[in-house]
Amino acid sequence: MEPRPSIDLAALPLPALEALLEGQGLPRFRAKQIFQWIWKRGATDFSAMTNLGRELREQLSTQFHIGTPTIVRHEHSDDGTQKLVLALADGRQIECVYIPDTPAQTFCVSTQVGCAMGCAFCLTGKMGLVRHLSAGEIAGQVRVLAKATGLLDAPFNIVLMGMGEPLHNYGATMQALALLNDAAGLAVSPRRVTLSTVGLVPMIDKLASEPLMPNLAISLHATTEDQRAALVPPSKKYGLQAVIDACKRFPVRKRGRITFEYVMLDGVNDTPADARRLVRLLDGVKAKVNLIPLNAAPGIPFDRPSDDRVNAFARILVDRQLTVSVRKSRGRDIRAACGQLIVEGGRAQSAAQALAAALS
Ligand code: SAH
Ligand code: SF4
């Protein structure tokens, strides 16, 4: 096989692409054309770029490539959810999901292969951190999803709720938002992006001053310091109250709210007393609550509560004027649901492979 051309043009923001190509003696508008082909049209190689001229396309393809995660598997759920398993240049695999009509079209993307945070109920956490994704790999999932679902020209939302903890891969995540925001490409407004975090407090404060600040979702899951520390290990360092205080400092947009995700574990954090404590905790926070009944799986030592328990919990929140939604689990038949993003086989870590083998 020929050695791969070294520079990945899909990893570069437009100004860097312009500087690179100008350095090669090409006029500036060429960079914009190429950026548009990649990010507006989803081009994966130069042969598609018909307004460039054959000679130029050939010249470009000897020096550069357009790094694009390749689709290993494309699964369609009965409820319309689609899950893509993507292979990266090094053979590692990640997953991303298209969730239709919620009412918006939503892409759920990963920020890491695996995750270092180790939440007690999460399959991705069981993998451990294999590696961070680059900005091109994070944004590339959106490009591949938009093309595969025919939504390159349609408005869509992005949730950073796939594999990994986005604030643990802060720089690449912010660069990915810049790639996606460029008006010459997909032009995704930060208002359409929601970043879900386990609550890494210094990074939440940092996020607050980003020009491309996304909406914030906090994975809360518990209402006492001890219980949260047991379920969400980073809480030993950044406790429950510190996370709430960071949320109170966060510059929420006009009419915006912070989403608090709360995975419900049968008999553990789903009692009426938990619900009442949650109401008190969120007092003074511009909040909405997203209850997520556990997606149970082998290897996760918890059960999903009954619908009655979930509804009783939700009722207490609603009665105290909190906005509450219960997350309908999407794509369960193709294991695209929350916390079930784990790559089976492939080149994931051996622990993940062992777990995956047990699941298949
Ligand atoms: N690492 C980030 C974003 C990815 S996880 C975070 O934790 O916020 C996205 C959401 O899925 C989180 O709220 C997480 O708690 C939830 N989740 C993880 N495992 C789950 C499971 N087994 N069932 C239901 N939701 C789960
Ligand atoms: Fe990581 Fe989020 Fe899973 Fe926790 S819930 S292990 S932070 S992916």
Side-chain angles (χ1 to χ4, degrees):
M1 228 170 78
E2 277 187 31
R4 206 142 191 243
S6 57
I7 301 179
D8 175 8
L9 298 191
L12 301 179
L14 182 54
L17 188 60
E18 285 170 345
L20 176 73
L21 296 184
E22 274 184 327
Q24 306 253 330
L26 289 175
R28 176 170 278 245
F29 75 90
R30 287 293 182 207
K32 191 161 177 186
Q33 283 179 322
I34 292 169
F35 192 90
Q36 285 172 330
W37 274 110
I38 299 172
W39 293 103
K40 257 191 148 107
R41 303 265 61 87
T44 56
D45 59 58
F46 297 101
S47 62
M49 302 185 183
T50 44
N51 57 353
L52 294 191
R54 199 160 54 87
E55 237 169 76
L56 176 57
R57 285 181 308 203
E58 274 164 19
Q59 182 202 326
L60 289 169
S61 62
T62 59
Q63 304 171 71
F64 308 119
H65 70 283
I66 299 166
T68 308
T70 51
I71 300 175
V72 177
R73 237 179 20 239
H74 188 161
E75 296 176 35
H76 296 253
S77 162
D78 297 340
D79 66 14
T81 301
Q82 298 179 33
K83 179 175 86 172
L84 300 186
V85 178
L86 303 179
L88 305 168
D90 67 352
R92 301 282 187 204
Q93 294 188 356
I94 51 169
E95 299 183 342
C96 52
V97 180
Y98 162 57
I99 308 150
D101 312 322
T102 53
Q105 316 305 318
T106 303
F107 297 139
C108 174
V109 303
S110 298
T111 54
Q112 297 175 319
V113 184
C115 181
M117 300 296 130
C119 300
F121 44 79
C122 174
L123 282 181
T124 305
K126 295 233 180 291
M127 291 175 72
L129 178 64
V130 179
R131 73 167 172 85
H132 293 299
L133 297 184
S134 68
E137 289 169 334
I138 297 169
Q141 294 166 70
V142 176
R143 182 158 48 92
V144 172
L145 273 166
K147 195 172 181 196
T149 54
L151 292 172
L152 278 167
D153 295 314
F156 51 78
N157 293 345
I158 296 171
V159 293
L160 300 171
M161 293 187 186
M163 302 168 80
E165 166 52 47
L167 294 188
H168 185 214
N169 187 16
Y170 190 92
T173 299
M174 290 306 128
Q175 287 162 24
L177 296 191
L179 277 170
L180 293 166
N181 177 249
D182 199 298
L186 288 166
V188 179
S189 153
R191 292 167 179 279
R192 286 192 161 269
V193 181
T194 299
L195 181 152
S196 175
T197 176
V198 80
L200 306 181
V201 168
M203 295 293 134
I204 295 175
D205 286 332
K206 193 161 180 215
L207 194 65
S209 60
E210 290 290 342
L212 296 178
M213 185 190 81
N215 304 306
L216 185 61
I218 300 282
S219 286
L220 201 69
H221 312 320
T223 57
T224 67
E225 297 284 354
D226 285 352
Q227 185 170 69
R228 188 160 196 270
L231 294 175
V232 180
S235 207
K236 293 179 189 124
K237 191 159 177 200
Y238 307 114
L240 182 58
Q241 195 53 52
V243 172
I244 298 290
D245 290 344
C247 289
K248 288 183 176 161
R249 291 192 292 273
F250 196 77
V252 179
R253 291 191 174 87
K254 240 190 183 162
R255 287 191 293 280
R257 297 196 196 172
I258 298 174
T259 304
F260 289 87
E261 296 159 280
Y262 194 96
V263 172
M264 299 189 67
L265 311 170
D266 190 37
V268 175
N269 64 355
D270 64 344
T271 66
D274 288 298
R276 286 192 292 271
R277 272 194 300 270
L278 184 56
V279 171
R280 280 198 297 277
L281 261 179
L282 297 183
D283 187 35
V285 185
K286 283 171 99 180
K288 59 183 172 187
V289 175
N290 189 201
L291 299 175
I292 315 171
L294 176 77
N295 291 312
I300 295 181
F302 300 103
D303 297 315
R304 181 190 184 88
S306 68
D307 288 352
D308 282 351
R309 276 183 89 91
V310 174
N311 291 339
F313 193 99
R315 168 59 49 201
I316 293 171
L317 307 186
V318 170
D319 284 348
R320 315 287 173 90
Q321 321 306 329
L322 269 168
T323 303
V324 183
S325 57
V326 179
R327 193 176 294 179
K328 218 171 88 190
S329 188
R330 308 289 297 246
R332 281 169 87 188
D333 53 334
I334 56 169
R335 223 185 276 153
C338 291
Q340 302 204 317
L341 298 183
I342 180 170
V343 172
E344 297 145 65
R347 293 180 51 190
Q349 270 187 337
S350 55
Q353 280 174 338
L355 182 68
L359 295 175
S360 57

